[in-house]
Amino acid sequence: MTLSLEDFLIRARVLKLYRHALRISRRAPSHARADLRQIIRREMENNRNCNDKQRIRFLISDGLERVKCLDETLDMQGH
């Protein structure tokens, strides 16, 4: 399967978001870390077969906002 340039760029953004979310999850308290990673993984898996580019862009934006909120929450808690 060959990806178009647009598909390749979208895929790269999704993977970057996933890696960023996992990196931030490392700062979570140890008792919550595994659950947080599982939630991140589940969210990605739930949308794995989405082919609607408009929906994918929305999911990326939503994911970025959620990761930002998680990052801020962990900062406020001193993690």
Coordinates of all heavy atoms in Angstrom, one line a residue:
M1 N 0.8 -1.2 0.0 CA 0.0 0.0 0.0 C 0.9 1.2 0.0 O 1.8 1.4 0.8 CB -0.9 0.0 1.2 CG -1.8 1.2 1.4 SD -2.9 1.0 2.8 CE -2.4 2.5 3.6
T2 N 0.7 2.1 -1.0 CA 1.4 3.3 -1.1 C 0.6 4.5 -0.5 O -0.6 4.7 -0.9 CB 1.8 3.6 -2.5 OG1 2.5 2.5 -3.0 CG2 2.6 4.8 -2.7
L3 N 1.2 5.3 0.3 CA 0.5 6.5 0.9 C 0.7 7.7 0.0 O 1.8 7.9 -0.5 CB 1.0 6.7 2.3 CG 0.8 5.7 3.4 CD1 1.5 6.2 4.7 CD2 -0.7 5.5 3.6
S4 N -0.3 8.5 -0.1 CA -0.1 9.8 -0.7 C 0.7 10.7 0.3 O 0.8 10.4 1.4 CB -1.5 10.4 -1.0 OG -2.1 10.8 0.2
L5 N 1.2 11.8 -0.2 CA 2.0 12.7 0.6 C 1.1 13.2 1.8 O 1.5 13.2 2.9 CB 2.5 13.9 -0.2 CG 3.2 14.9 0.6 CD1 4.5 14.3 1.3 CD2 3.6 16.1 -0.3
E6 N -0.2 13.5 1.5 CA -1.1 14.0 2.5 C -1.3 12.9 3.6 O -1.2 13.2 4.8 CB -2.4 14.4 1.9 CG -3.3 15.0 2.9 CD -4.7 15.4 2.3 OE1 -5.0 15.1 1.2 OE2 -5.4 16.1 3.0
D7 N -1.5 11.7 3.2 CA -1.7 10.6 4.1 C -0.5 10.4 4.9 O -0.5 10.1 6.1 CB -2.1 9.3 3.4 CG -3.4 9.3 2.7 OD1 -4.3 10.2 3.2 OD2 -3.7 8.6 1.8
F8 N 0.7 10.5 4.3 CA 2.0 10.3 5.0 C 2.1 11.4 6.1 O 2.5 11.1 7.2 CB 3.1 10.4 4.0 CG 4.5 10.3 4.6 CD1 5.0 9.0 5.0 CD2 5.2 11.4 4.8 CE1 6.2 9.0 5.6 CE2 6.5 11.3 5.4 CZ 7.0 10.1 5.8
L9 N 1.8 12.6 5.7 CA 2.0 13.7 6.7 C 1.0 13.6 7.9 O 1.3 13.8 9.0 CB 1.8 15.0 6.0 CG 2.9 15.4 5.0 CD1 2.5 16.7 4.2 CD2 4.2 15.5 5.7
I10 N -0.2 13.1 7.6 CA -1.2 12.9 8.6 C -0.8 11.8 9.5 O -0.8 11.9 10.8 CB -2.6 12.6 8.0 CG1 -3.2 13.9 7.4 CG2 -3.6 12.1 9.1 CD1 -4.5 13.7 6.6
R11 N -0.3 10.7 8.9 CA 0.2 9.6 9.7 C 1.4 10.0 10.7 O 1.4 9.7 11.8 CB 0.7 8.5 8.8 CG 1.1 7.2 9.5 CD 1.5 6.2 8.5 NE 1.9 4.9 9.2 CZ 3.1 4.7 9.6 NH1 4.1 5.5 9.4 NH2 3.4 3.5 10.2
A12 N 2.2 10.9 10.1 CA 3.4 11.4 10.9 C 2.9 12.2 12.1 O 3.4 12.1 13.2 CB 4.3 12.2 10.0
R13 N 1.8 13.0 11.9 CA 1.3 13.8 13.0 C 0.7 13.0 14.0 O 0.8 13.2 15.2 CB 0.3 14.8 12.4 CG 0.9 15.9 11.6 CD -0.2 16.9 11.1 NE -0.8 17.6 12.2 CZ -2.0 18.2 12.1 NH1 -2.7 18.2 11.0 NH2 -2.5 18.8 13.2
V14 N 0.0 11.9 13.6 CA -0.7 11.0 14.6 C 0.4 10.3 15.4 O 0.3 10.2 16.6 CB -1.5 9.9 13.8 CG1 -2.0 8.8 14.8 CG2 -2.7 10.6 13.2
L15 N 1.5 9.8 14.8 CA 2.5 9.1 15.5 C 3.3 10.1 16.4 O 3.6 9.7 17.6 CB 3.5 8.5 14.5 CG 3.0 7.3 13.7 CD1 4.0 6.8 12.7 CD2 2.6 6.2 14.7
K16 N 3.5 11.3 16.0 CA 4.1 12.3 16.8 C 3.2 12.6 18.1 O 3.8 12.7 19.2 CB 4.3 13.6 16.1 CG 5.0 14.7 16.8 CD 5.2 15.9 16.0 CE 5.8 17.1 16.8 NZ 6.0 18.3 16.0
L17 N 1.9 12.7 17.9 CA 1.0 12.9 19.0 C 1.1 11.7 20.0 O 1.1 11.9 21.2 CB -0.4 13.1 18.5 CG -1.5 13.1 19.5 CD1 -1.3 14.3 20.5 CD2 -2.9 13.2 18.8
Y18 N 1.1 10.5 19.5 CA 1.1 9.3 20.3 C 2.4 9.3 21.1 O 2.4 9.1 22.3 CB 1.0 8.1 19.4 CG 1.0 6.8 20.1 CD1 0.1 6.4 21.0 CD2 2.0 5.8 19.9 CE1 0.1 5.2 21.7 CE2 2.1 4.6 20.5 CZ 1.1 4.3 21.5 OH 1.1 3.1 22.1
R19 N 3.5 9.5 20.5 CA 4.8 9.5 21.2 C 4.9 10.6 22.2 O 5.3 10.4 23.4 CB 6.0 9.7 20.2 CG 6.3 8.5 19.4 CD 7.6 8.6 18.6 NE 7.6 9.8 17.7 CZ 7.2 9.8 16.5 NH1 6.8 8.7 15.9 NH2 7.3 10.8 15.7
H20 N 4.3 11.8 21.9 CA 4.3 12.9 22.9 C 3.4 12.6 24.1 O 3.8 12.8 25.2 CB 3.8 14.2 22.2 CG 3.8 15.4 23.0 ND1 5.0 15.9 23.5 CD2 2.8 16.3 23.4 CE1 4.7 17.0 24.2 NE2 3.4 17.2 24.1
A21 N 2.3 12.0 23.8 CA 1.4 11.6 24.9 C 2.1 10.5 25.8 O 2.0 10.6 27.1 CB 0.1 11.0 24.4
L22 N 2.8 9.6 25.2 CA 3.5 8.6 26.0 C 4.6 9.2 26.8 O 4.9 8.8 28.0 CB 4.0 7.5 25.1 CG 3.0 6.5 24.5 CD1 3.7 5.5 23.6 CD2 2.2 5.8 25.6
R23 N 5.3 10.2 26.2 CA 6.4 10.8 27.0 C 5.9 11.6 28.2 O 6.5 11.5 29.3 CB 7.1 11.8 26.0 CG 8.4 11.3 25.5 CD 9.2 12.4 24.7 NE 9.3 11.9 23.4 CZ 8.7 12.4 22.3 NH1 8.0 13.5 22.4 NH2 8.8 11.9 21.1
I24 N 4.8 12.3 28.0 CA 4.2 13.0 29.1 C 3.7 12.0 30.2 O 3.7 12.3 31.4 CB 3.1 13.9 28.6 CG1 3.7 15.1 27.9 CG2 2.2 14.4 29.8 CD1 2.8 16.1 27.3
S25 N 3.2 10.9 29.8 CA 2.7 9.9 30.7 C 3.8 9.4 31.7 O 3.5 8.9 32.8 CB 2.0 8.7 30.0 OG 3.0 7.8 29.4
R26 N 5.0 9.5 31.3 CA 6.1 9.1 32.1 C 6.2 9.9 33.4 O 6.7 9.5 34.4 CB 7.5 9.2 31.4 CG 7.7 8.2 30.3 CD 9.1 8.3 29.8 NE 9.1 7.9 28.4 CZ 9.8 8.5 27.5 NH1 10.7 9.4 27.8 NH2 9.8 8.1 26.2
R27 N 5.7 11.2 33.3 CA 5.7 12.1 34.5 C 4.6 11.8 35.5 O 4.6 12.4 36.5 CB 5.6 13.5 34.0 CG 6.8 13.9 33.2 CD 6.8 15.3 32.7 NE 6.0 16.2 33.4 CZ 5.2 17.1 32.9 NH1 5.1 17.2 31.6 NH2 4.5 17.9 33.6
A28 N 3.6 11.0 35.1 CA 2.5 10.7 36.0 C 3.0 9.9 37.2 O 4.0 9.2 37.1 CB 1.4 9.9 35.2
P29 N 2.2 10.0 38.3 CA 2.6 9.2 39.5 C 2.7 7.7 39.1 O 1.9 7.2 38.2 CB 1.5 9.4 40.4 CG 0.9 10.7 40.0 CD 1.1 10.8 38.5
S30 N 3.6 7.0 39.7 CA 3.8 5.6 39.3 C 2.6 4.7 39.4 O 2.4 3.8 38.5 CB 5.0 5.0 40.1 OG 4.6 5.0 41.5
H31 N 1.7 5.0 40.3 CA 0.5 4.1 40.5 C -0.5 4.4 39.3 O -1.4 3.6 39.1 CB -0.1 4.4 41.8 CG -0.7 5.8 42.0 ND1 0.1 6.8 42.4 CD2 -2.0 6.2 41.8 CE1 -0.7 7.9 42.4 NE2 -1.9 7.6 42.1
A32 N -0.4 5.5 38.6 CA -1.3 5.8 37.6 C -0.7 5.7 36.2 O -1.5 5.7 35.2 CB -1.8 7.3 37.7
R33 N 0.5 5.5 36.1 CA 1.2 5.5 34.8 C 0.7 4.4 33.9 O 0.5 4.6 32.7 CB 2.7 5.3 35.1 CG 3.6 5.8 34.0 CD 5.1 5.8 34.4 NE 5.3 6.8 35.4 CZ 6.1 6.7 36.4 NH1 6.9 5.6 36.5 NH2 6.2 7.7 37.3
A34 N 0.6 3.2 34.4 CA 0.2 2.1 33.5 C -1.2 2.3 33.0 O -1.5 2.0 31.8 CB 0.3 0.7 34.2
D35 N -2.1 2.8 33.8 CA -3.5 3.0 33.4 C -3.5 4.1 32.4 O -4.3 4.1 31.4 CB -4.4 3.4 34.6 CG -4.7 2.3 35.5 OD1 -4.6 1.1 35.1 OD2 -5.0 2.5 36.7
L36 N -2.7 5.2 32.6 CA -2.7 6.3 31.6 C -2.2 5.8 30.3 O -2.8 6.1 29.2 CB -1.8 7.4 32.2 CG -1.7 8.7 31.4 CD1 -3.1 9.2 31.1 CD2 -0.9 9.7 32.1
R37 N -1.2 5.0 30.2 CA -0.6 4.5 29.0 C -1.7 3.6 28.3 O -1.8 3.6 27.0 CB 0.6 3.7 29.2 CG 1.8 4.6 29.5 CD 3.1 3.8 29.6 NE 4.2 4.8 29.9 CZ 5.4 4.4 29.9 NH1 5.8 3.2 29.7 NH2 6.3 5.3 30.1
Q38 N -2.4 2.8 29.1 CA -3.4 2.0 28.5 C -4.6 2.8 27.9 O -5.1 2.5 26.8 CB -4.0 1.1 29.6 CG -4.9 0.0 29.1 CD -5.4 -0.9 30.2 OE1 -5.4 -0.5 31.4 NE2 -5.6 -2.2 29.9
I39 N -4.9 3.9 28.5 CA -6.0 4.8 28.0 C -5.5 5.4 26.7 O -6.2 5.5 25.7 CB -6.3 5.9 29.0 CG1 -7.1 5.3 30.2 CG2 -7.1 7.0 28.4 CD1 -7.2 6.2 31.4
I40 N -4.2 5.9 26.7 CA -3.7 6.5 25.4 C -3.7 5.5 24.3 O -4.1 5.8 23.2 CB -2.2 7.0 25.7 CG1 -2.3 8.2 26.7 CG2 -1.5 7.4 24.4 CD1 -0.9 8.5 27.2
R41 N -3.3 4.3 24.6 CA -3.2 3.2 23.6 C -4.6 2.9 23.1 O -4.9 2.8 21.9 CB -2.6 2.0 24.2 CG -2.6 0.7 23.4 CD -1.6 0.7 22.3 NE -1.7 -0.4 21.5 CZ -0.7 -1.2 21.1 NH1 0.5 -0.9 21.6 NH2 -0.9 -2.2 20.3
R42 N -5.6 2.8 24.0 CA -7.0 2.5 23.6 C -7.6 3.6 22.7 O -8.3 3.3 21.8 CB -7.8 2.3 24.9 CG -9.2 1.8 24.6 CD -10.0 1.5 25.8 NE -9.3 1.3 27.0 CZ -9.4 2.0 28.1 NH1 -10.4 2.9 28.2 NH2 -8.7 1.8 29.2
E43 N -7.3 4.8 23.1 CA -7.8 5.9 22.2 C -7.3 5.8 20.8 O -8.0 6.0 19.8 CB -7.4 7.3 22.8 CG -8.2 7.6 24.1 CD -9.6 8.0 23.8 OE1 -10.0 8.5 22.8 OE2 -10.5 7.6 24.7
M44 N -6.0 5.5 20.7 CA -5.4 5.4 19.4 C -6.0 4.2 18.6 O -6.3 4.3 17.4 CB -3.9 5.2 19.5 CG -3.2 6.5 19.9 SD -3.5 7.8 18.8 CE -2.0 8.5 18.7
E45 N -6.1 3.1 19.3 CA -6.7 1.8 18.7 C -8.1 2.0 18.3 O -8.5 1.5 17.2 CB -6.6 0.7 19.6 CG -5.2 0.1 19.8 CD -4.6 -0.5 18.6 OE1 -5.4 -1.1 17.8 OE2 -3.4 -0.5 18.4
N46 N -8.9 2.8 19.1 CA -10.3 3.0 18.7 C -10.5 3.7 17.4 O -11.5 3.6 16.8 CB -11.0 3.7 19.8 CG -11.3 2.9 21.1 OD1 -11.2 1.7 21.0 ND2 -11.6 3.6 22.2
N47 N -9.5 4.5 17.1 CA -9.6 5.3 15.8 C -8.7 4.9 14.7 O -8.5 5.6 13.8 CB -9.4 6.8 16.2 CG -10.5 7.3 17.1 OD1 -11.6 7.4 16.7 ND2 -10.1 7.6 18.3
R48 N -8.1 3.7 14.9 CA -7.1 3.2 14.0 C -7.6 3.1 12.6 O -6.9 3.4 11.6 CB -6.6 1.9 14.5 CG -5.6 1.2 13.6 CD -5.1 -0.1 14.1 NE -3.8 -0.3 13.6 CZ -2.8 -0.9 14.3 NH1 -3.1 -1.5 15.4 NH2 -1.6 -1.0 13.8
N49 N -8.8 2.7 12.4 CA -9.3 2.4 11.0 C -10.1 3.6 10.4 O -10.8 3.4 9.4 CB -10.2 1.2 11.1 CG -9.4 -0.1 11.4 OD1 -8.3 -0.2 10.9 ND2 -10.0 -0.9 12.2
C50 N -10.0 4.7 11.1 CA -10.7 5.9 10.5 C -10.0 6.4 9.3 O -8.8 6.6 9.2 CB -10.6 7.0 11.6 SG -11.4 8.6 11.1
N51 N -10.8 6.6 8.2 CA -10.2 7.0 6.9 C -10.7 8.4 6.5 O -10.2 8.9 5.5 CB -10.6 6.0 5.8 CG -9.9 4.7 6.0 OD1 -8.8 4.6 6.4 ND2 -10.7 3.6 5.8
D52 N -11.5 9.0 7.3 CA -12.1 10.3 7.0 C -11.0 11.4 7.5 O -10.8 11.5 8.7 CB -13.4 10.5 7.8 CG -14.0 11.8 7.5 OD1 -13.5 12.6 6.8 OD2 -15.1 12.1 8.1
K53 N -10.4 12.0 6.5 CA -9.3 12.9 6.8 C -9.8 14.1 7.7 O -9.0 14.6 8.6 CB -8.7 13.5 5.5 CG -7.9 12.4 4.8 CD -7.3 12.8 3.5 CE -6.7 11.6 2.9 NZ -6.3 11.9 1.5
Q54 N -11.0 14.6 7.5 CA -11.6 15.6 8.3 C -11.7 15.2 9.7 O -11.3 15.9 10.7 CB -12.9 16.0 7.8 CG -13.5 17.2 8.5 CD -13.2 18.5 7.7 OE1 -12.6 18.5 6.6 NE2 -13.5 19.6 8.3
R55 N -12.2 14.0 9.9 CA -12.3 13.4 11.3 C -10.9 13.2 11.9 O -10.7 13.4 13.1 CB -13.0 12.1 11.2 CG -13.1 11.3 12.5 CD -14.5 11.4 13.2 NE -14.5 10.6 14.4 CZ -14.6 11.0 15.6 NH1 -14.7 12.3 15.8 NH2 -14.6 10.3 16.6
I56 N -10.0 12.7 11.1 CA -8.6 12.5 11.7 C -8.0 13.8 12.1 O -7.4 13.9 13.2 CB -7.7 11.8 10.6 CG1 -8.2 10.4 10.3 CG2 -6.3 11.8 11.1 CD1 -7.6 9.7 9.1
R57 N -8.2 14.9 11.3 CA -7.7 16.2 11.7 C -8.3 16.7 13.0 O -7.7 17.2 13.9 CB -7.9 17.2 10.6 CG -7.0 17.0 9.5 CD -7.1 18.2 8.5 NE -6.4 17.9 7.3 CZ -6.9 17.4 6.2 NH1 -8.2 17.2 6.1 NH2 -6.1 17.1 5.1
F58 N -9.6 16.4 13.2 CA -10.3 16.8 14.4 C -9.7 16.0 15.6 O -9.5 16.5 16.7 CB -11.8 16.5 14.3 CG -12.5 16.6 15.6 CD1 -12.8 17.8 16.2 CD2 -12.9 15.4 16.3 CE1 -13.4 17.9 17.4 CE2 -13.5 15.5 17.5 CZ -13.8 16.7 18.1
L59 N -9.5 14.7 15.4 CA -9.0 13.8 16.4 C -7.6 14.3 16.9 O -7.3 14.2 18.0 CB -9.0 12.4 16.0 CG -10.4 11.7 15.9 CD1 -10.3 10.4 15.2 CD2 -11.0 11.5 17.2
I60 N -6.8 14.7 15.9 CA -5.4 15.2 16.2 C -5.6 16.4 17.0 O -4.9 16.6 18.1 CB -4.6 15.4 14.9 CG1 -4.3 14.1 14.2 CG2 -3.3 16.2 15.2 CD1 -3.7 14.2 12.8
S61 N -6.4 17.4 16.6 CA -6.6 18.6 17.4 C -7.1 18.3 18.8 O -6.6 18.9 19.8 CB -7.6 19.5 16.7 OG -7.1 20.0 15.5
D62 N -8.0 17.4 18.9 CA -8.6 17.1 20.2 C -7.5 16.4 21.1 O -7.4 16.7 22.3 CB -9.8 16.1 20.0 CG -10.4 15.8 21.3 OD1 -10.8 16.7 22.1 OD2 -10.6 14.6 21.6
G63 N -6.7 15.5 20.5 CA -5.7 14.9 21.2 C -4.6 15.8 21.7 O -4.1 15.7 22.8
L64 N -4.2 16.8 20.8 CA -3.3 17.8 21.2 C -3.8 18.6 22.4 O -3.0 18.9 23.4 CB -2.9 18.7 20.1 CG -2.1 18.1 19.0 CD1 -2.1 19.1 17.7 CD2 -0.7 17.8 19.4
E65 N -5.0 18.9 22.4 CA -5.6 19.7 23.5 C -5.6 18.9 24.8 O -5.3 19.3 25.9 CB -7.0 20.1 23.2 CG -7.7 21.0 24.2 CD -6.9 22.4 24.4 OE1 -6.4 22.9 23.4 OE2 -6.9 22.9 25.5
R66 N -6.0 17.6 24.7 CA -6.0 16.7 25.8 C -4.6 16.5 26.4 O -4.4 16.4 27.6 CB -6.7 15.4 25.5 CG -8.2 15.6 25.2 CD -8.8 14.4 24.6 NE -8.9 13.3 25.5 CZ -9.5 12.1 25.2 NH1 -9.9 11.9 24.0 NH2 -9.6 11.2 26.1
V67 N -3.6 16.3 25.5 CA -2.2 16.2 26.0 C -1.7 17.4 26.7 O -1.1 17.4 27.7 CB -1.3 15.8 24.8 CG1 0.1 15.9 25.2 CG2 -1.6 14.4 24.4
K68 N -2.1 18.6 26.1 CA -1.7 19.8 26.8 C -2.4 19.9 28.2 O -1.7 20.4 29.1 CB -2.2 21.0 25.9 CG -1.9 22.4 26.4 CD -2.4 23.5 25.5 CE -2.3 24.8 26.2 NZ -3.0 25.8 25.4
C69 N -3.6 19.6 28.3 CA -4.3 19.6 29.6 C -3.6 18.7 30.6 O -3.4 19.0 31.8 CB -5.8 19.3 29.5 SG -6.7 20.6 28.7
L70 N -3.2 17.5 30.1 CA -2.6 16.5 31.0 C -1.2 17.1 31.4 O -0.8 17.0 32.6 CB -2.4 15.2 30.2 CG -1.5 14.1 30.9 CD1 -2.2 13.7 32.2 CD2 -1.3 12.9 30.0
D71 N -0.5 17.7 30.5 CA 0.8 18.2 30.8 C 0.7 19.3 31.9 O 1.4 19.4 32.9 CB 1.4 18.8 29.5 CG 2.9 19.2 29.7 OD1 3.6 18.6 30.5 OD2 3.3 20.1 29.0
E72 N -0.3 20.2 31.7 CA -0.5 21.3 32.7 C -0.9 20.7 34.0 O -0.5 21.2 35.1 CB -1.6 22.2 32.1 CG -1.1 23.1 31.0 CD -2.2 23.9 30.3 OE1 -3.4 23.7 30.7 OE2 -1.9 24.6 29.4
T73 N -1.8 19.7 34.0 CA -2.2 19.1 35.3 C -1.0 18.5 36.0 O -0.9 18.7 37.2 CB -3.3 18.0 35.0 OG1 -4.4 18.6 34.4 CG2 -3.7 17.3 36.3
L74 N -0.2 17.8 35.3 CA 1.0 17.2 35.9 C 2.0 18.3 36.4 O 2.6 18.1 37.5 CB 1.7 16.2 34.9 CG 1.0 15.0 34.6 CD1 1.7 14.2 33.5 CD2 0.8 14.1 35.8
D75 N 2.1 19.4 35.7 CA 2.9 20.5 36.2 C 2.4 21.1 37.5 O 3.1 21.4 38.4 CB 2.9 21.6 35.1 CG 3.9 21.4 34.0 OD1 4.8 20.4 34.1 OD2 3.8 22.0 33.0
M76 N 1.0 21.3 37.5 CA 0.4 21.8 38.8 C 0.6 20.9 40.0 O 0.7 21.3 41.1 CB -1.0 22.1 38.5 CG -1.3 23.3 37.7 SD -3.0 23.8 37.6 CE -3.8 22.5 36.8
Q77 N 0.7 19.6 39.7 CA 0.8 18.6 40.8 C 2.3 18.4 41.1 O 2.6 17.7 42.1 CB 0.2 17.3 40.4 CG -1.3 17.3 40.3 CD -1.9 16.0 39.8 OE1 -1.1 15.1 39.4 NE2 -3.2 15.9 39.9
G78 N 3.2 19.0 40.4 CA 4.6 19.0 40.6 C 5.3 17.7 40.1 O 6.3 17.3 40.6
H79 N 4.7 17.1 39.1 CA 5.3 15.9 38.5 C 6.0 16.2 37.2 O 5.8 17.1 36.5 CB 4.2 14.9 38.2 CG 3.5 14.4 39.4 ND1 4.1 13.5 40.2 CD2 2.3 14.7 39.9 CE1 3.2 13.2 41.2 NE2 2.1 13.9 41.0

